Amino acid sequence: MSVLLDITLPRSLDLLLEQAARERPERLEAWVFEDEAARRGAERALAELGIAARIRSAYKPLLHTWLEGELALPAGWRRLLITVAPAVLQRLKVETYPLAALLGEGELGFETDAALAPTEARVSVDGRPPLAVFVPMDQRLAPQAWRRSWRAGQLIEDAALASCDYRAAYEAAMAAVAGHHWGETEPYFEQLRIEVEIGGIERALPYGEELISTREALHEDFYFAVLEFFQRRAGRPQGDRTLRPGQIIPDIRAATGRTRVRVVLGAPAAQTQPSDPLLVDDLATQDSPLSPEAVAVWLAPLQGERFGCLSHQGRPVTGLHRRGAKPGIVISAGQHANESSGVVGALRATLVLQQQDQAHYALVALENPDGAALHQALIRSNPRHMHHAARYTALGDDLEARGGAASPALGEKAARQQAIARTGAGLHFSLHGYPAHEWTRPFAGYLPPGFEDWALPRGFFLILRRHPGRDGRAFLEALSAGLAQDPALVALNARQQRLWRAHWVDADTAPLLLNGIPCLIQDDSRSTVPFTLITEFPDETVYGEAFVLAQRTQMRTVLLGAELYWQGLLGEARAEPAA
């Protein structure tokens, strides 16, 4: 193990109190990355010093204006209007998310005023005099801790907080990564761990799966910022998915007192003989992500030929091939291991197909077991976080971006390629998910670069990749009609799309909507399979009934889609000769 950084930082609120005790302003306002209880405690401590203080959240301050009671809504109100500078309209519409759902029956609207600075907003109700809201941001539109103080009625300070532990933790860890001497051969490390113990906000909202978490946001910033650092260093474009730096693991945990930051290089812990996983009697009731060990248990009794490969860290990537007279299909899940409902859905669909003698299919239920093992470890301490560190393989790349069948470096993708070769598949079901609550990267400008369209949940949707010259519209129309027979799915989609439209600037450019399900059709020749159907369910962080709906929808998509394919709705399908 090699330690690149191990420091402690004073907590922002402690420094704020110390500075106020020295300077004794009459009045003080501040914005910090701390929860309401900690901020109110600091206000009481300042009051004991004779200082009238209001300490607000630096993260999502517009939303917190309503959450913390500064914005009073009179009985019978009809419209709340937020006015912002044109340059930050999208940024601040998303920052207020999910306010439109929390307000109840009233309407939320936005307008712009070029006279406003990016850090200024006005909030008015039914034309009443507006409330001015300060939204501290830096030039990159990243949220920023701030301090204002007054003495003798005069403003004596109005500036960014000199010592913000939230920002300092991020900058110190990134500086340690940037300052290390890395080699030139990929991977550069086995594991790069960024361990932070810090205060902050962790607040579940009374709507869907929504959560405000500064620690989750820090995880997301660290993971993608480190990945982007190595992309730049290797001369790759931002968003490249082929780079193999190694496994990047931000582990952000709650703490009181001083903030601790460690950056450590090491190797994965040796795999021990796992204990028997706890299993439900019926996968239909599975309401949480499956571990790699549990997936293996569910695969064991299924009938068919086994194939597969090993992951980078030595875990099996198991495939199952069942021959039949119908045209072949491939079912895969767990490519991005924090998108976990597809794994259960794939297994459930296969259990049904096992009862159909003519069905011809290959299953790879968990393509990225190393990522799934990491996901299981991370959700033990932060079960509600989306954990994109578990998205890619232990090498740090997206397995789908690896080379073709002749490449010597297929790794985990070899199982998928074998499945396609074995079945001669004309249709590949690739089951995916995306965040079930707002996804932010504060220090990258709030919206996650390259993933802006995934920042807010907007329901379950489908992406059909087709070879040029192929169609697929009739298939999607029939499939979406079948899926829409589930009233719980219809309600979820309607609710999330309505809220997404309220908080997104370009909502009018939404994908084709078929039976309440957004559908995208893309010409794409990357796969040898003529049609690839990608599912996207907002499943990252869901549990309980929400997870059951997710995995049920994944299963139904496979079963309905396979039947429509076998009926010829994707064109004439080639039957497999009898073995």
Side-chain angles (χ1 to χ4, degrees):
M1 182 178 71
S2 175
V3 179
L4 307 190
L5 181 71
D6 190 348
I7 60 171
T8 60
L9 300 166
R11 191 174 178 183
S12 299
L13 278 178
D14 292 339
L15 292 176
L16 191 70
L17 290 170
E18 291 172 8
Q19 182 180 359
R22 291 193 307 269
E23 299 177 356
R24 295 298 176 112
E26 294 172 351
R27 184 161 69 92
L28 182 146
E29 291 184 349
W31 290 258
V32 296
F33 295 88
E34 292 277 6
D35 65 20
E36 186 175 13
R39 289 183 277 113
R40 297 295 167 262
E43 289 172 357
R44 290 190 292 271
L46 289 167
E48 292 178 0
L49 297 175
I51 301 169
R54 179 66 177 184
I55 305 177
R56 301 178 174 89
S57 172
Y59 184 65
K60 296 176 74 72
L62 264 173
L63 179 61
H64 279 94
T65 298
W66 184 83
L67 290 175
E68 296 180 3
E70 286 196 80
L71 177 64
L73 296 177
W77 73 278
R78 300 181 64 183
R79 188 167 193 257
L80 187 150
L81 179 65
I82 299 177
T83 306
V84 300
V88 293
L89 176 60
Q90 181 65 86
R91 161 76 167 80
L92 295 184
K93 283 191 79 170
V94 174
E95 176 173 308
T96 61
Y97 179 89
L99 183 57
L102 302 176
L103 289 173
E105 296 300 320
E107 176 191 354
L108 174 64
F110 292 84
E111 68 176 17
T112 60
D113 183 345
L116 290 175
T119 56
E120 297 175 318
R122 295 194 303 264
V123 183
S124 62
V125 181
D126 293 337
R128 291 175 172 81
L131 171 70
V133 178
F134 180 55
V135 185
M137 293 185 283
D138 63 18
Q139 293 182 342
R140 298 171 299 168
L141 306 184
Q144 193 164 31
W146 203 268
R147 183 179 189 268
R148 288 173 173 169
S149 59
W150 290 260
R151 185 181 297 119
Q154 298 295 313
L155 181 67
I156 59 173
E157 182 181 18
D158 187 7
L161 199 63
S163 298
C164 169
D165 59 336
Y166 191 74
R167 182 179 288 259
Y170 173 76
E171 292 177 346
M174 291 305 300
V177 171
H180 185 69
H181 179 70
W182 303 102
E184 298 301 323
T185 304
E186 302 171 30
Y188 310 120
F189 48 82
E190 280 294 322
Q191 286 186 340
L192 170 60
R193 300 187 64 89
I194 302 174
E195 301 168 350
V196 181
E197 299 170 10
I198 192 169
I201 303 169
E202 191 82 10
R203 179 172 182 168
L205 298 178
Y207 171 77
E209 305 299 322
E210 288 305 323
L211 174 77
I212 301 175
S213 174
T214 53
R215 288 185 285 273
E216 177 185 53
L218 196 57
H219 172 110
E220 298 299 311
D221 247 333
F222 273 133
Y223 177 72
F224 285 101
V226 171
L227 195 57
E228 289 158 3
F229 165 79
F230 285 108
Q231 287 167 353
R232 291 191 300 271
R233 185 178 178 275
R236 310 283 181 90
Q238 183 171 325
D240 172 80
R241 298 189 181 192
T242 64
L243 184 72
R244 298 178 171 187
Q247 194 170 39
I248 303 162
I249 308 176
D251 189 1
I252 319 299
R253 304 197 182 201
T256 58
R258 294 174 69 88
T259 292
R260 187 178 184 187
V261 185
R262 298 180 77 240
V263 180
V264 180
L265 291 175
Q271 293 184 40
T272 57
Q273 183 66 31
S275 57
D276 291 336
L278 296 175
L279 299 177
V280 295
D281 294 331
D282 183 352
L283 269 180
T285 65
Q286 181 68 37
D287 63 358
S288 61
L290 290 173
S291 68
E293 294 79 18
V295 172
V297 172
W298 282 107
L299 280 171
L302 297 181
Q303 299 298 307
E305 304 167 21
R306 263 51 179 188
F307 62 92
C309 58
L310 292 178
S311 72
H312 175 66
Q313 293 178 347
R315 295 181 175 88
V317 183
T318 302
L320 174 80
H321 180 204
R322 184 79 180 270
R323 298 181 185 276
K326 291 182 177 181
I329 62 172
V330 167
I331 308 162
S332 68
Q335 172 188 329
H336 301 148
N338 61 328
E339 304 166 8
S340 54
S341 68
V343 175
V344 182
L347 288 167
R348 287 191 65 193
T350 303
L351 286 169
V352 175
L353 292 175
Q354 292 262 297
Q355 309 307 312
Q356 302 178 19
D357 292 339
Q358 301 300 307
H360 183 197
Y361 54 89
L363 166 72
V364 185
L366 181 56
E367 293 192 287
N368 180 10
D370 294 345
L374 174 60
H375 187 242
Q376 289 286 312
L378 291 172
I379 63 176
R380 290 190 193 105
S381 55
N382 288 305
R384 295 289 306 278
H385 295 184
M386 52 193 72
H387 295 303
H388 276 110
R391 174 180 173 87
Y392 295 145
T393 73
L395 284 168
D397 65 336
D398 191 334
L399 67 88
E400 185 186 42
R402 293 177 179 173
S407 170
L410 279 178
E412 293 90 339
K413 189 179 179 181
R416 177 189 295 196
Q417 298 299 86
Q418 291 174 50
I420 292 170
R422 281 170 165 268
T423 58
L427 175 60
H428 172 199
F429 295 92
S430 184
L431 308 185
H432 286 259
Y434 70 105
H437 62 255
E438 183 189 14
W439 179 9
T440 73
R441 283 188 56 193
F443 297 123
Y446 194 80
L447 290 170
F451 296 94
E452 292 89 347
D453 288 343
W454 303 92
L456 302 179
R458 46 185 167 145
F460 172 73
F461 62 97
L462 299 167
I463 302 171
L464 182 65
R465 293 179 183 171
R466 64 187 183 185
H467 284 183
R470 303 274 184 158
D471 193 3
R473 172 68 182 257
F475 172 82
L476 285 177
E477 288 179 344
L479 176 58
S480 59
L483 290 169
Q485 297 305 304
D486 186 337
L489 177 63
V490 171
L492 172 80
N493 269 24
R495 183 172 65 249
Q496 291 196 349
Q497 289 168 30
R498 184 168 57 248
L499 185 57
W500 173 74
R501 289 177 182 278
H503 286 276
W504 198 257
V505 167
D506 297 323
D508 291 338
T509 63
L512 173 70
L513 199 65
L514 297 176
N515 300 294
I517 296 175
C519 298
L520 291 170
I521 302 177
Q522 302 172 340
D523 286 342
D524 193 317
S525 299
R526 284 176 290 178
S527 173
T528 58
V529 180
F531 291 97
T532 300
L533 183 68
I534 299 170
T535 62
E536 294 288 357
F537 198 103
D539 67 348
E540 291 176 23
T541 73
V542 302
Y543 296 88
E545 292 182 5
F547 189 93
V548 171
L549 173 60
Q551 52 102 329
R552 182 173 74 234
T553 302
Q554 303 275 20
M555 174 197 69
R556 294 184 68 238
T557 301
V558 173
L559 295 176
L560 288 168
E563 189 57 41
L564 293 169
Y565 171 60
W566 288 329
Q567 291 174 10
L569 265 71
L570 286 174
E572 184 178 355
R574 177 177 59 83
E576 181 76 8

